[in-house]
Amino acid sequence: MATWPEAQQRIFEAMPRWVFVPFAIATVGGVLGALGLLLRRRWAEPLLLLSWLAIIVQFASTYLTTPLWALTGVRGALFPACIAVVGLFLWWFARKASARRWLR
């Protein structure tokens, strides 16, 4: 951490440790959901929904509990927004695939 920029250090120090729980859920859910899509399994859809919801909780809580917005502004929100859009797309695709009976 000592090599990080000062703004990033301040954000990390202000972040409550419980925020890592939705991060873990989003990460593991996304990986397993993507694997489920590759294997054409129906359980991919609820996992990808869980992952997307955890993404939203994680980023919302990070922005609400740390000085992230004040230190990074709109530019800092672009990458989290892209992650949320990709997560939403994966869930949408899994729903469509399940409705079309591509998943078993």
Side-chain angles (χ1 to χ4, degrees):
M1 272 183 44
T3 61
W4 293 359
E6 181 184 341
Q8 195 171 3
Q9 289 179 18
R10 287 178 52 201
I11 292 166
F12 186 78
E13 289 168 358
M15 191 176 310
R17 297 302 170 234
W18 63 264
V19 173
F20 293 108
V21 173
F23 171 77
I25 292 169
T27 303
V28 172
V31 168
L32 292 178
L35 181 63
L37 280 178
L38 287 172
L39 297 174
R40 298 178 60 189
R41 299 294 178 193
R42 192 176 305 267
W43 48 259
E45 180 188 346
L47 271 179
L48 289 169
L49 174 60
L50 177 67
S51 175
W52 182 70
L53 291 172
I55 289 169
I56 300 303
V57 168
Q58 180 213 352
F59 286 130
S61 59
T62 300
Y63 274 93
L64 291 173
T65 61
T66 68
L68 184 60
W69 186 260
L71 294 173
T72 63
V74 174
R75 202 179 70 182
L78 291 177
F79 189 63
C82 289
I83 292 172
V85 167
V86 169
L88 181 61
F89 171 77
L90 285 172
W91 175 60
W92 171 82
F93 179 78
R95 278 187 56 177
K96 292 294 180 188
S98 183
R100 293 178 181 172
R101 302 197 188 282
W102 294 346
L103 306 178
R104 23 175 224 273

